[in-house]
PDB file of all heavy atoms in Angstrom:
ATOM      1  N   CYS A 127    -251.103 188.007  29.416  1.00  0.00           N
ATOM      2  CA  CYS A 127    -250.408 187.808  30.673  1.00  0.00           C
ATOM      3  C   CYS A 127    -251.259 187.280  31.773  1.00  0.00           C
ATOM      4  O   CYS A 127    -250.825 187.039  32.879  1.00  0.00           O
ATOM      5  CB  CYS A 127    -249.754 189.140  31.108  1.00  0.00           C
ATOM      6  SG  CYS A 127    -250.912 190.413  31.592  1.00  0.00           S
ATOM      7  N   SER A 128    -252.544 187.074  31.500  1.00  0.00           N
ATOM      8  CA  SER A 128    -253.441 186.639  32.613  1.00  0.00           C
ATOM      9  C   SER A 128    -253.957 185.243  32.416  1.00  0.00           C
ATOM     10  O   SER A 128    -254.369 184.599  33.383  1.00  0.00           O
ATOM     11  CB  SER A 128    -254.612 187.622  32.714  1.00  0.00           C
ATOM     12  OG  SER A 128    -255.394 187.565  31.575  1.00  0.00           O
ATOM     13  N   GLN A 129    -253.972 184.737  31.170  1.00  0.00           N
ATOM     14  CA  GLN A 129    -254.567 183.440  30.915  1.00  0.00           C
ATOM     15  C   GLN A 129    -253.471 182.402  30.645  1.00  0.00           C
ATOM     16  O   GLN A 129    -252.390 182.754  30.258  1.00  0.00           O
ATOM     17  CB  GLN A 129    -255.518 183.476  29.772  1.00  0.00           C
ATOM     18  CG  GLN A 129    -256.878 183.989  30.061  1.00  0.00           C
ATOM     19  CD  GLN A 129    -257.843 183.716  28.957  1.00  0.00           C
ATOM     20  OE1 GLN A 129    -257.465 183.701  27.830  1.00  0.00           O
ATOM     21  NE2 GLN A 129    -259.077 183.441  29.273  1.00  0.00           N
ATOM     22  N   SER A 130    -253.816 181.170  30.841  1.00  0.00           N
ATOM     23  CA  SER A 130    -252.964 180.083  30.479  1.00  0.00           C
ATOM     24  C   SER A 130    -252.748 180.034  28.974  1.00  0.00           C
ATOM     25  O   SER A 130    -253.722 180.136  28.204  1.00  0.00           O
ATOM     26  CB  SER A 130    -253.505 178.777  30.953  1.00  0.00           C
ATOM     27  OG  SER A 130    -252.777 177.677  30.401  1.00  0.00           O
ATOM     28  N   ARG A 131    -251.535 179.842  28.499  1.00  0.00           N
ATOM     29  CA  ARG A 131    -251.268 179.696  27.105  1.00  0.00           C
ATOM     30  C   ARG A 131    -251.343 178.231  26.637  1.00  0.00           C
ATOM     31  O   ARG A 131    -251.199 177.958  25.470  1.00  0.00           O
ATOM     32  CB  ARG A 131    -249.905 180.280  26.762  1.00  0.00           C
ATOM     33  CG  ARG A 131    -249.777 181.740  27.095  1.00  0.00           C
ATOM     34  CD  ARG A 131    -248.361 182.262  26.839  1.00  0.00           C
ATOM     35  NE  ARG A 131    -248.207 183.634  27.305  1.00  0.00           N
ATOM     36  CZ  ARG A 131    -247.030 184.263  27.241  1.00  0.00           C
ATOM     37  NH1 ARG A 131    -246.003 183.701  26.715  1.00  0.00           N
ATOM     38  NH2 ARG A 131    -246.982 185.524  27.700  1.00  0.00           N
ATOM     39  N   TYR A 132    -251.431 177.338  27.573  1.00  0.00           N
ATOM     40  CA  TYR A 132    -251.400 175.944  27.259  1.00  0.00           C
ATOM     41  C   TYR A 132    -252.715 175.260  27.760  1.00  0.00           C
ATOM     42  O   TYR A 132    -253.276 175.696  28.733  1.00  0.00           O
ATOM     43  CB  TYR A 132    -250.240 175.235  27.904  1.00  0.00           C
ATOM     44  CG  TYR A 132    -248.908 175.798  27.493  1.00  0.00           C
ATOM     45  CD1 TYR A 132    -248.302 176.835  28.236  1.00  0.00           C
ATOM     46  CD2 TYR A 132    -248.245 175.323  26.379  1.00  0.00           C
ATOM     47  CE1 TYR A 132    -247.099 177.397  27.879  1.00  0.00           C
ATOM     48  CE2 TYR A 132    -247.007 175.889  25.998  1.00  0.00           C
ATOM     49  CZ  TYR A 132    -246.463 176.904  26.755  1.00  0.00           C
ATOM     50  OH  TYR A 132    -245.229 177.472  26.350  1.00  0.00           O
ATOM     51  N   SER A 133    -253.146 174.253  27.117  1.00  0.00           N
ATOM     52  CA  SER A 133    -254.343 173.539  27.546  1.00  0.00           C
ATOM     53  C   SER A 133    -253.936 172.080  27.778  1.00  0.00           C
ATOM     54  O   SER A 133    -252.960 171.563  27.199  1.00  0.00           O
ATOM     55  CB  SER A 133    -255.457 173.571  26.532  1.00  0.00           C
ATOM     56  OG  SER A 133    -255.021 173.046  25.270  1.00  0.00           O
ATOM     57  N   ILE A 134    -254.628 171.377  28.628  1.00  0.00           N
ATOM     58  CA  ILE A 134    -254.355 169.978  28.852  1.00  0.00           C
ATOM     59  C   ILE A 134    -255.622 169.200  28.613  1.00  0.00           C
ATOM     60  O   ILE A 134    -256.737 169.712  28.712  1.00  0.00           O
ATOM     61  CB  ILE A 134    -253.840 169.713  30.309  1.00  0.00           C
ATOM     62  CG1 ILE A 134    -254.884 170.153  31.338  1.00  0.00           C
ATOM     63  CG2 ILE A 134    -252.533 170.345  30.541  1.00  0.00           C
ATOM     64  CD1 ILE A 134    -254.490 169.801  32.754  1.00  0.00           C
ATOM     65  N   LYS A 135    -255.462 167.948  28.281  1.00  0.00           N
ATOM     66  CA  LYS A 135    -256.575 167.066  28.001  1.00  0.00           C
ATOM     67  C   LYS A 135    -256.578 165.955  29.032  1.00  0.00           C
ATOM     68  O   LYS A 135    -255.737 165.879  29.892  1.00  0.00           O
ATOM     69  CB  LYS A 135    -256.440 166.490  26.599  1.00  0.00           C
ATOM     70  CG  LYS A 135    -256.461 167.527  25.499  1.00  0.00           C
ATOM     71  CD  LYS A 135    -256.312 166.926  24.125  1.00  0.00           C
ATOM     72  CE  LYS A 135    -256.287 167.998  23.043  1.00  0.00           C
ATOM     73  NZ  LYS A 135    -256.102 167.452  21.699  1.00  0.00           N
ATOM     74  N   ASN A 136    -257.539 165.102  28.942  1.00  0.00           N
ATOM     75  CA  ASN A 136    -257.608 164.016  29.875  1.00  0.00           C
ATOM     76  C   ASN A 136    -256.352 163.177  29.837  1.00  0.00           C
ATOM     77  O   ASN A 136    -255.882 162.776  28.724  1.00  0.00           O
ATOM     78  CB  ASN A 136    -258.771 163.070  29.589  1.00  0.00           C
ATOM     79  CG  ASN A 136    -260.100 163.711  29.903  1.00  0.00           C
ATOM     80  OD1 ASN A 136    -260.238 164.415  30.876  1.00  0.00           O
ATOM     81  ND2 ASN A 136    -261.102 163.517  29.051  1.00  0.00           N
ATOM     82  N   ASN A 137    -255.697 162.981  30.979  1.00  0.00           N
ATOM     83  CA  ASN A 137    -254.504 162.151  31.000  1.00  0.00           C
ATOM     84  C   ASN A 137    -254.838 160.680  31.125  1.00  0.00           C
ATOM     85  O   ASN A 137    -255.783 160.316  31.835  1.00  0.00           O
ATOM     86  CB  ASN A 137    -253.626 162.550  32.243  1.00  0.00           C
ATOM     87  CG  ASN A 137    -253.105 163.986  32.096  1.00  0.00           C
ATOM     88  OD1 ASN A 137    -252.862 164.456  30.971  1.00  0.00           O
ATOM     89  ND2 ASN A 137    -252.919 164.623  33.228  1.00  0.00           N
ATOM     90  N   ASN A 138    -254.067 159.838  30.471  1.00  0.00           N
ATOM     91  CA  ASN A 138    -254.265 158.421  30.535  1.00  0.00           C
ATOM     92  C   ASN A 138    -253.560 157.911  31.800  1.00  0.00           C
ATOM     93  O   ASN A 138    -252.478 157.326  31.730  1.00  0.00           O
ATOM     94  CB  ASN A 138    -253.757 157.715  29.281  1.00  0.00           C
ATOM     95  CG  ASN A 138    -254.552 158.108  28.047  1.00  0.00           C
ATOM     96  OD1 ASN A 138    -255.770 158.231  28.134  1.00  0.00           O
ATOM     97  ND2 ASN A 138    -253.888 158.357  26.936  1.00  0.00           N
ATOM     98  N   VAL A 139    -254.138 158.160  32.925  1.00  0.00           N
ATOM     99  CA  VAL A 139    -253.521 157.802  34.210  1.00  0.00           C
ATOM    100  C   VAL A 139    -254.180 156.535  34.757  1.00  0.00           C
ATOM    101  O   VAL A 139    -255.414 156.382  34.641  1.00  0.00           O
ATOM    102  CB  VAL A 139    -253.650 158.980  35.218  1.00  0.00           C
ATOM    103  CG1 VAL A 139    -253.060 158.575  36.564  1.00  0.00           C
ATOM    104  CG2 VAL A 139    -252.942 160.195  34.683  1.00  0.00           C
ATOM    105  N   ASP A 140    -253.410 155.687  35.324  1.00  0.00           N
ATOM    106  CA  ASP A 140    -253.951 154.451  35.975  1.00  0.00           C
ATOM    107  C   ASP A 140    -254.827 154.899  37.162  1.00  0.00           C
ATOM    108  O   ASP A 140    -254.326 155.431  38.125  1.00  0.00           O
ATOM    109  CB  ASP A 140    -252.794 153.570  36.418  1.00  0.00           C
ATOM    110  CG  ASP A 140    -253.268 152.289  37.069  1.00  0.00           C
ATOM    111  OD1 ASP A 140    -254.481 152.053  37.193  1.00  0.00           O
ATOM    112  OD2 ASP A 140    -252.412 151.482  37.485  1.00  0.00           O
ATOM    113  N   VAL A 141    -256.127 154.646  37.029  1.00  0.00           N
ATOM    114  CA  VAL A 141    -257.016 155.093  38.093  1.00  0.00           C
ATOM    115  C   VAL A 141    -256.867 154.309  39.362  1.00  0.00           C
ATOM    116  O   VAL A 141    -257.408 154.658  40.418  1.00  0.00           O
ATOM    117  CB  VAL A 141    -258.484 154.964  37.593  1.00  0.00           C
ATOM    118  CG1 VAL A 141    -258.749 155.904  36.444  1.00  0.00           C
ATOM    119  CG2 VAL A 141    -258.855 153.543  37.226  1.00  0.00           C
ATOM    120  N   ASN A 142    -256.151 153.186  39.321  1.00  0.00           N
ATOM    121  CA  ASN A 142    -256.001 152.334  40.518  1.00  0.00           C
ATOM    122  C   ASN A 142    -254.818 152.720  41.381  1.00  0.00           C
ATOM    123  O   ASN A 142    -254.664 152.181  42.473  1.00  0.00           O
ATOM    124  CB  ASN A 142    -255.884 150.882  40.082  1.00  0.00           C
ATOM    125  CG  ASN A 142    -257.160 150.374  39.435  1.00  0.00           C
ATOM    126  OD1 ASN A 142    -258.228 150.614  39.911  1.00  0.00           O
ATOM    127  ND2 ASN A 142    -257.023 149.684  38.284  1.00  0.00           N
ATOM    128  N   ARG A 143    -253.904 153.571  40.882  1.00  0.00           N
ATOM    129  CA  ARG A 143    -252.756 153.928  41.666  1.00  0.00           C
ATOM    130  C   ARG A 143    -253.064 155.202  42.461  1.00  0.00           C
ATOM    131  O   ARG A 143    -253.935 155.985  42.176  1.00  0.00           O
ATOM    132  CB  ARG A 143    -251.547 154.168  40.752  1.00  0.00           C
ATOM    133  CG  ARG A 143    -251.555 155.432  39.945  1.00  0.00           C
ATOM    134  CD  ARG A 143    -250.198 155.718  39.386  1.00  0.00           C
ATOM    135  NE  ARG A 143    -250.177 156.850  38.464  1.00  0.00           N
ATOM    136  CZ  ARG A 143    -250.091 158.129  38.888  1.00  0.00           C
ATOM    137  NH1 ARG A 143    -250.078 158.395  40.201  1.00  0.00           N
ATOM    138  NH2 ARG A 143    -250.072 159.115  38.039  1.00  0.00           N
ATOM    139  N   SER A 144    -252.239 155.404  43.515  1.00  0.00           N
ATOM    140  CA  SER A 144    -252.348 156.628  44.296  1.00  0.00           C
ATOM    141  C   SER A 144    -251.834 157.803  43.493  1.00  0.00           C
ATOM    142  O   SER A 144    -251.038 157.635  42.591  1.00  0.00           O
ATOM    143  CB  SER A 144    -251.495 156.472  45.595  1.00  0.00           C
ATOM    144  OG  SER A 144    -251.949 155.440  46.372  1.00  0.00           O
ATOM    145  N   LYS A 145    -252.335 158.958  43.794  1.00  0.00           N
ATOM    146  CA  LYS A 145    -251.953 160.191  43.083  1.00  0.00           C
ATOM    147  C   LYS A 145    -251.348 161.225  44.028  1.00  0.00           C
ATOM    148  O   LYS A 145    -251.701 161.247  45.239  1.00  0.00           O
ATOM    149  CB  LYS A 145    -253.144 160.750  42.354  1.00  0.00           C
ATOM    150  CG  LYS A 145    -253.653 159.837  41.257  1.00  0.00           C
ATOM    151  CD  LYS A 145    -254.893 160.398  40.538  1.00  0.00           C
ATOM    152  CE  LYS A 145    -255.359 159.450  39.453  1.00  0.00           C
ATOM    153  NZ  LYS A 145    -255.760 158.198  39.995  1.00  0.00           N
ATOM    154  N   LEU A 146    -250.456 162.011  43.514  1.00  0.00           N
ATOM    155  CA  LEU A 146    -249.746 162.993  44.333  1.00  0.00           C
ATOM    156  C   LEU A 146    -250.199 164.402  44.022  1.00  0.00           C
ATOM    157  O   LEU A 146    -250.140 164.839  42.865  1.00  0.00           O
ATOM    158  CB  LEU A 146    -248.282 162.875  44.086  1.00  0.00           C
ATOM    159  CG  LEU A 146    -247.363 163.899  44.852  1.00  0.00           C
ATOM    160  CD1 LEU A 146    -247.498 163.682  46.371  1.00  0.00           C
ATOM    161  CD2 LEU A 146    -245.932 163.764  44.417  1.00  0.00           C
ATOM    162  N   LEU A 147    -250.655 165.130  45.023  1.00  0.00           N
ATOM    163  CA  LEU A 147    -251.033 166.541  44.891  1.00  0.00           C
ATOM    164  C   LEU A 147    -249.966 167.367  45.639  1.00  0.00           C
ATOM    165  O   LEU A 147    -249.659 167.074  46.796  1.00  0.00           O
ATOM    166  CB  LEU A 147    -252.385 166.812  45.508  1.00  0.00           C
ATOM    167  CG  LEU A 147    -252.892 168.263  45.496  1.00  0.00           C
ATOM    168  CD1 LEU A 147    -254.371 168.326  45.254  1.00  0.00           C
ATOM    169  CD2 LEU A 147    -252.554 168.991  46.797  1.00  0.00           C
ATOM    170  N   VAL A 148    -249.420 168.389  44.960  1.00  0.00           N
ATOM    171  CA  VAL A 148    -248.493 169.308  45.599  1.00  0.00           C
ATOM    172  C   VAL A 148    -249.237 170.581  45.897  1.00  0.00           C
ATOM    173  O   VAL A 148    -249.863 171.177  44.987  1.00  0.00           O
ATOM    174  CB  VAL A 148    -247.282 169.597  44.683  1.00  0.00           C
ATOM    175  CG1 VAL A 148    -246.386 170.739  45.255  1.00  0.00           C
ATOM    176  CG2 VAL A 148    -246.450 168.347  44.491  1.00  0.00           C
ATOM    177  N   CYS A 149    -249.242 171.049  47.147  1.00  0.00           N
ATOM    178  CA  CYS A 149    -249.938 172.193  47.583  1.00  0.00           C
ATOM    179  C   CYS A 149    -249.006 173.354  47.897  1.00  0.00           C
ATOM    180  O   CYS A 149    -248.196 173.204  48.852  1.00  0.00           O
ATOM    181  CB  CYS A 149    -250.816 171.853  48.791  1.00  0.00           C
ATOM    182  SG  CYS A 149    -252.092 173.017  49.152  1.00  0.00           S
ATOM    183  N   HIS A 150    -249.014 174.378  47.106  1.00  0.00           N
ATOM    184  CA  HIS A 150    -248.154 175.564  47.265  1.00  0.00           C
ATOM    185  C   HIS A 150    -248.713 176.356  48.455  1.00  0.00           C
ATOM    186  O   HIS A 150    -249.890 176.697  48.502  1.00  0.00           O
ATOM    187  CB  HIS A 150    -248.274 176.327  45.966  1.00  0.00           C
ATOM    188  CG  HIS A 150    -247.773 177.752  45.950  1.00  0.00           C
ATOM    189  ND1 HIS A 150    -248.374 178.742  46.674  1.00  0.00           N
ATOM    190  CD2 HIS A 150    -246.794 178.324  45.274  1.00  0.00           C
ATOM    191  CE1 HIS A 150    -247.757 179.880  46.453  1.00  0.00           C
ATOM    192  NE2 HIS A 150    -246.784 179.647  45.555  1.00  0.00           N
ATOM    193  N   ASP A 151    -247.823 176.713  49.407  1.00  0.00           N
ATOM    194  CA  ASP A 151    -248.278 177.413  50.601  1.00  0.00           C
ATOM    195  C   ASP A 151    -247.777 178.859  50.581  1.00  0.00           C
ATOM    196  O   ASP A 151    -246.591 179.111  50.743  1.00  0.00           O
ATOM    197  CB  ASP A 151    -247.752 176.690  51.831  1.00  0.00           C
ATOM    198  CG  ASP A 151    -248.312 177.224  53.125  1.00  0.00           C
ATOM    199  OD1 ASP A 151    -248.919 178.333  53.106  1.00  0.00           O
ATOM    200  OD2 ASP A 151    -248.178 176.571  54.149  1.00  0.00           O
ATOM    201  N   MET A 152    -248.731 179.790  50.446  1.00  0.00           N
ATOM    202  CA  MET A 152    -248.413 181.219  50.363  1.00  0.00           C
ATOM    203  C   MET A 152    -247.749 181.745  51.649  1.00  0.00           C
ATOM    204  O   MET A 152    -247.068 182.786  51.596  1.00  0.00           O
ATOM    205  CB  MET A 152    -249.628 182.022  50.051  1.00  0.00           C
ATOM    206  CG  MET A 152    -250.099 181.902  48.668  1.00  0.00           C
ATOM    207  SD  MET A 152    -248.952 182.592  47.476  1.00  0.00           S
ATOM    208  CE  MET A 152    -249.029 184.371  47.828  1.00  0.00           C
ATOM    209  N   LYS A 153    -247.893 181.065  52.750  1.00  0.00           N
ATOM    210  CA  LYS A 153    -247.350 181.600  54.016  1.00  0.00           C
ATOM    211  C   LYS A 153    -245.878 181.370  54.168  1.00  0.00           C
ATOM    212  O   LYS A 153    -245.254 181.891  55.053  1.00  0.00           O
ATOM    213  CB  LYS A 153    -248.106 180.991  55.201  1.00  0.00           C
ATOM    214  CG  LYS A 153    -249.507 181.559  55.382  1.00  0.00           C
ATOM    215  CD  LYS A 153    -249.456 183.057  55.613  1.00  0.00           C
ATOM    216  CE  LYS A 153    -250.848 183.601  55.882  1.00  0.00           C
ATOM    217  NZ  LYS A 153    -250.851 185.055  56.108  1.00  0.00           N
ATOM    218  N   ASN A 154    -245.285 180.551  53.308  1.00  0.00           N
ATOM    219  CA  ASN A 154    -243.859 180.304  53.431  1.00  0.00           C
ATOM    220  C   ASN A 154    -243.039 181.150  52.429  1.00  0.00           C
ATOM    221  O   ASN A 154    -242.144 180.614  51.762  1.00  0.00           O
ATOM    222  CB  ASN A 154    -243.567 178.822  53.206  1.00  0.00           C
ATOM    223  CG  ASN A 154    -243.973 177.996  54.390  1.00  0.00           C
ATOM    224  OD1 ASN A 154    -244.241 178.559  55.439  1.00  0.00           O
ATOM    225  ND2 ASN A 154    -244.003 176.666  54.281  1.00  0.00           N
ATOM    226  N   ASN A 155    -243.418 182.419  52.320  1.00  0.00           N
ATOM    227  CA  ASN A 155    -242.644 183.373  51.527  1.00  0.00           C
ATOM    228  C   ASN A 155    -242.773 183.164  50.048  1.00  0.00           C
ATOM    229  O   ASN A 155    -241.951 183.702  49.292  1.00  0.00           O
ATOM    230  CB  ASN A 155    -241.167 183.398  51.934  1.00  0.00           C
ATOM    231  CG  ASN A 155    -240.988 183.758  53.420  1.00  0.00           C
ATOM    232  OD1 ASN A 155    -241.629 184.653  53.916  1.00  0.00           O
ATOM    233  ND2 ASN A 155    -240.142 182.987  54.102  1.00  0.00           N
ATOM    234  N   TYR A 156    -243.766 182.414  49.582  1.00  0.00           N
ATOM    235  CA  TYR A 156    -243.963 182.258  48.140  1.00  0.00           C
ATOM    236  C   TYR A 156    -244.894 183.349  47.693  1.00  0.00           C
ATOM    237  O   TYR A 156    -246.039 183.107  47.320  1.00  0.00           O
ATOM    238  CB  TYR A 156    -244.549 180.883  47.858  1.00  0.00           C
ATOM    239  CG  TYR A 156    -243.829 179.715  48.503  1.00  0.00           C
ATOM    240  CD1 TYR A 156    -244.529 178.588  48.893  1.00  0.00           C
ATOM    241  CD2 TYR A 156    -242.453 179.751  48.747  1.00  0.00           C
ATOM    242  CE1 TYR A 156    -243.911 177.528  49.461  1.00  0.00           C
ATOM    243  CE2 TYR A 156    -241.809 178.683  49.330  1.00  0.00           C
ATOM    244  CZ  TYR A 156    -242.564 177.555  49.722  1.00  0.00           C
ATOM    245  OH  TYR A 156    -241.905 176.524  50.318  1.00  0.00           O
ATOM    246  N   LEU A 157    -244.429 184.558  47.698  1.00  0.00           N
ATOM    247  CA  LEU A 157    -245.322 185.706  47.394  1.00  0.00           C
ATOM    248  C   LEU A 157    -245.014 186.315  46.001  1.00  0.00           C
ATOM    249  O   LEU A 157    -245.915 186.875  45.372  1.00  0.00           O
ATOM    250  CB  LEU A 157    -245.171 186.776  48.457  1.00  0.00           C
ATOM    251  CG  LEU A 157    -245.534 186.304  49.863  1.00  0.00           C
ATOM    252  CD1 LEU A 157    -245.174 187.410  50.897  1.00  0.00           C
ATOM    253  CD2 LEU A 157    -246.990 185.966  49.963  1.00  0.00           C
ATOM    254  N   GLU A 158    -243.776 186.266  45.587  1.00  0.00           N
ATOM    255  CA  GLU A 158    -243.368 186.976  44.390  1.00  0.00           C
ATOM    256  C   GLU A 158    -243.848 186.282  43.077  1.00  0.00           C
ATOM    257  O   GLU A 158    -243.877 186.880  42.017  1.00  0.00           O
ATOM    258  CB  GLU A 158    -241.872 187.158  44.321  1.00  0.00           C
ATOM    259  CG  GLU A 158    -241.359 188.161  45.393  1.00  0.00           C
ATOM    260  CD  GLU A 158    -241.884 189.565  45.167  1.00  0.00           C
ATOM    261  OE1 GLU A 158    -241.912 190.003  43.986  1.00  0.00           O
ATOM    262  OE2 GLU A 158    -242.235 190.224  46.148  1.00  0.00           O
ATOM    263  N   ASP A 159    -244.209 185.001  43.221  1.00  0.00           N
ATOM    264  CA  ASP A 159    -244.573 184.294  41.992  1.00  0.00           C
ATOM    265  C   ASP A 159    -246.024 184.620  41.576  1.00  0.00           C
ATOM    266  O   ASP A 159    -246.536 183.991  40.610  1.00  0.00           O
ATOM    267  CB  ASP A 159    -244.431 182.772  42.153  1.00  0.00           C
ATOM    268  CG  ASP A 159    -245.269 182.243  43.367  1.00  0.00           C
ATOM    269  OD1 ASP A 159    -245.974 183.020  43.961  1.00  0.00           O
ATOM    270  OD2 ASP A 159    -245.106 181.041  43.628  1.00  0.00           O
TER     271      ASP A 159
END
């Protein structure tokens, strides 16, 4: 229950394109997850 059950490898992503990061904000009531 504490470790990831899945692993990821290097993604074949176009290094020249912009990338999107989603940042989860604990202050907006995202506490139960």
Side-chain angles (χ1 to χ4, degrees):
C127 66
S128 64
Q129 279 194 326
S130 169
R131 300 177 187 178
Y132 302 91
S133 60
I134 59 174
K135 299 178 181 178
N136 289 322
N137 294 329
N138 295 319
V139 176
D140 181 359
V141 296
N142 295 314
R143 73 165 175 82
S144 299
K145 296 180 178 60
L146 177 65
L147 177 144
V148 172
C149 195
H150 164 295
D151 189 345
M152 285 295 292
K153 286 298 184 181
N154 285 349
N155 301 315
Y156 311 147
L157 301 172
E158 291 297 319
D159 58 5

